[in-house]
Amino acid sequence: MINVLVVDDELPAVEELAFLLGRDERIGRVFRATSGSEALLALATAPVDAVFLDIHMPAVSGLDIARAIAASSNPPAVVFVTADEDHALAAFELAAVDYLLKPVRSERLARSVGRISELRDGGAAPEMITVDLGGSTKMIRRDDVTYVQAQGDYARLHTAEASYLIRVPLADLEQQWAEAGFIRTHRSYLVALKHVMSMKLAADGPSVTVAGAGLPISRRHLPTVREKLEATRIRPHA
């Protein structure tokens, strides 16, 4: 069970998030704090595995608390919960597990809890990618990318929530992300193997369904795609 601390200077926000977390069977005790000083006291006295932190708080901000956590010998996981994206880069520089935007959706919160569970089970810290979005900088997790689409010398990263254009050729990403489970299916597409839902061999050409999107498979890449998908098949013990 994961014991969590919810920190926000607005009590209704604390209670709402605590309620949502309490519905998750992976969550144990839910501690609450409505100020930075209360949060630091709770961290010093309570068995906390993860902290859900608001950023904008008077006196001691969420970033201040995260810095204190990062300097501790056995830091809990940190998830920022905020109404804006302006501090995403600073958050991930402090090794935040996730960055949630208010209002928090139940399914998105469940993904954060899953990421905390992975880390507790010895999983590696997520690979983060910096993207530019409308004059601001945003950090996204590589494992949230379902597929990548070539656009000239750029590549468009597709996630469940949005897509982001980065100035990196698809061929470079193919080499850099191969070990992370991304495979080339077409000269214009790179897909995350774990997000592949199905493959279809049709008269008008083979295709693969990734997170609901139907993407073409070129004749050149078809043998590799079939081999990779076959390797994921579950087989009975001999």
Side-chain angles (χ1 to χ4, degrees), residues 42-231:
L43 287 168
T45 58
V48 175
D49 302 307
V51 184
F52 287 78
L53 271 177
D54 183 28
I55 289 181
H56 300 291
M57 295 187 294
V60 181
S61 72
L63 292 175
D64 294 329
I65 297 169
R67 292 186 187 100
I69 289 172
S72 63
S73 58
N74 186 28
V78 172
V79 174
F80 283 103
V81 185
T82 182
D84 62 68
E85 298 183 353
D86 293 344
H87 297 282
L89 184 57
F92 287 111
E93 286 176 347
L94 290 167
V97 173
D98 211 345
Y99 194 94
L100 301 179
L101 291 178
K102 298 178 180 179
V104 178
R105 306 192 315 272
S106 296
E107 63 273 17
R108 185 65 182 84
L109 183 61
R111 283 166 55 192
S112 286
V113 175
R115 289 166 177 173
I116 294 167
S117 297
E118 290 172 9
L119 284 179
R120 280 166 51 88
D121 293 339
E127 180 78 21
M128 306 306 301
I129 304 161
T130 304
V131 297
D132 295 323
L133 188 65
S136 64
T137 300
K138 180 180 174 67
M139 302 292 290
I140 64 171
R141 294 169 56 113
R142 182 171 64 183
D143 58 15
D144 281 342
V145 177
T146 55
Y147 68 94
V148 187
Q149 182 179 8
Q151 294 193 343
D153 291 333
Y154 292 75
R156 182 168 293 280
L157 312 180
H158 291 262
T159 71
E161 283 88 17
S163 67
Y164 310 94
L165 196 64
I166 62 172
R167 193 169 186 173
V168 180
L170 193 66
D172 289 358
L173 288 181
E174 179 183 7
Q175 294 180 353
Q176 296 171 23
W177 290 7
E179 293 185 0
F182 285 80
I183 60 172
R184 192 77 170 259
T185 60
H186 186 272
R187 61 186 175 85
S188 297
Y189 293 99
L190 184 68
V191 307
L193 190 60
K194 72 173 186 176
H195 289 291
V196 172
M197 301 170 64
S198 65
M199 184 179 74
K200 181 171 65 174
L201 301 175
D204 57 349
S207 63
V208 63
T209 302
V210 182
L215 308 176
I217 305 174
S218 68
R219 188 179 308 174
R220 172 189 171 190
H221 293 98
L222 181 59
T224 301
V225 174
R226 297 184 71 165
E227 178 185 345
K228 293 289 187 182
L229 291 177
E230 185 66 22

Side-chain angles (χ1 to χ4, degrees), residues 19-40:
F19 171 74
L20 293 175
L21 285 166
R23 290 165 45 180
D24 194 311
E25 61 184 12
R26 296 166 293 183
I27 298 297
R29 299 176 66 183
V30 180
F31 302 95
R32 298 163 172 82
T34 54
S35 69
S37 58
E38 283 185 15
L40 293 173

